[in-house]
Amino acid sequence: MRGRLIAGLVALLAVACASVGLTSYYAVRNSLYSDLNAQLQAATTLAYRCGDEPPPGSDSASGDGTARPSSPGMGKAGGTVGGAATGKTTSPVPGHPNWIRGGLALDCPGLGTGTLAVRIKLGSWAATLIPGIQCRLSAADKRTLNSLSPSRSPGPNAVAPTYVRDLHSAGGDFVLTATRDPDGDGSVYITGLPLDGVHDTLKDIALTELVVFAAVLVAAGVLGTLWVRLSLQPLRRVAATASMVAELPLDSGEVALPAGVADTDPATETGQVGAAFNRMLGHVQ
């Protein structure tokens, strides 16, 4: 009985902990994704407003991804764009071999650090991690981004469709939007925010919940064992007295029976058992 009571107590507590853990996990997850989507919509609007044409009087780019003077939507530097060398030796950024400093960087004031900005124009690719870190997108990742359906102007109240894609050459999972260039030149701007921060936070939450709930279950098992043992003491006294009576030679004549048990509270189950046992001893006597 003691084992079953303790097992039942721990099982019920485990179900309660699992319910609380899953509820809190998904509540935090939904909140994090909601905040990230709101940030992405704001970043999409900013990226959409960034033109890709150079200011009047400047030399324009040829459209093949070569460097050109700085403009509201582009920055000028050497490096690599979409894997094509542009004339300057760059050093890898620590953490991922496909990220490089410098190069032809998308320059859109207001975009937060860590935002992925991709421009596709006439087959030319420029992928930048704000601020000014370029990425050599693999052919598979380019196909993945090309499969996104570009939306029209986000507008003040419109919400651009979002996509979650794994961009291996960019370093992991991103939540993305795709919009067409406002100039109508066929360019597509893809804006993305990394999911690494959200995943790390959710992993920390899950790990913390596992550790805390495991400690709670262990503590409940230990304290529950002590509590059940204390609660069953009257039954153990009844069992001990019954064992003493069973060992007496009741068929050999007059025998002194032990005193009855003291636990005879009719309001409790153990008290009822004790009272019944005492009456039985009286009949045997």
Side-chain angles (χ1 to χ4, degrees):
M1 180 185 294
R2 183 173 61 189
R4 290 196 297 270
L5 287 174
I6 295 172
L9 174 66
V10 173
L12 289 175
L13 187 58
V15 171
C17 288
S19 300
V20 172
L22 288 175
T23 301
S24 60
Y25 177 87
Y26 281 104
V28 173
R29 178 180 180 273
N30 292 338
S31 177
L32 290 175
Y33 274 104
S34 178
D35 291 344
L36 190 67
N37 282 332
Q39 296 173 20
L40 179 60
Q41 295 299 327
T44 299
T45 301
L46 288 173
Y48 180 83
R49 291 173 180 172
C50 289
D52 67 340
E53 293 299 325
S58 65
D59 296 332
S60 61
S62 62
D64 58 359
T66 56
R68 66 183 179 183
S70 178
S71 70
M74 300 296 297
K76 178 183 177 183
T80 303
V81 178
T86 58
K88 180 180 178 181
T89 302
T90 57
S91 59
V93 173
H96 201 281
N98 288 328
W99 290 108
I100 57 173
R101 297 280 181 189
L104 187 61
L106 294 174
D107 179 18
C108 190
L111 290 181
T113 300
T115 304
L116 175 66
V118 179
R119 185 207 64 192
I120 310 172
K121 180 179 180 181
L122 302 177
S124 175
W125 289 75
T128 303
L129 186 68
I130 305 299
I133 304 176
Q134 289 223 23
C135 176
R136 303 183 184 97
L137 291 175
S138 66
D141 287 343
K142 288 181 179 180
R143 288 194 297 269
T144 298
L145 295 178
N146 269 326
S147 66
L148 305 181
S149 299
S151 62
R152 295 183 178 179
S153 170
N157 298 320
V159 177
T162 60
Y163 310 88
V164 176
R165 296 291 187 269
D166 178 17
L167 303 178
H168 180 72
S169 60
D173 292 335
F174 285 82
V175 56
L176 306 160
T177 59
T179 55
R180 297 191 181 279
D181 190 277
D183 296 335
D185 61 357
S187 299
V188 174
Y189 283 92
I190 297 174
T191 310
L193 294 177
L195 291 173
D196 290 346
V198 173
H199 291 168
D200 290 342
T201 301
L202 293 177
K203 286 179 183 178
D204 291 341
I205 292 174
L207 181 60
T208 301
E209 288 182 344
L210 287 176
V211 172
V212 172
F213 291 155
V216 168
L217 291 177
V218 171
V222 174
L223 296 177
T225 300
L226 297 177
W227 175 73
V228 170
R229 179 175 295 179
L230 180 63
S231 300
L232 294 180
Q233 277 186 352
L235 287 180
R236 285 200 298 274
R237 286 193 288 268
V238 172
T241 304
S243 298
M244 292 174 58
V245 173
E247 294 175 358
L248 294 176
L250 298 180
D251 60 345
S252 63
E254 185 175 349
V255 177
L257 294 177
V261 295
D263 304 290
T264 58
D265 184 2
T268 64
E269 289 79 0
T270 55
Q272 295 171 10
V273 172
F277 183 74
N278 288 344
R279 289 195 300 270
M280 182 188 70
L281 285 181
H283 293 319
V284 172
Q285 183 69 44

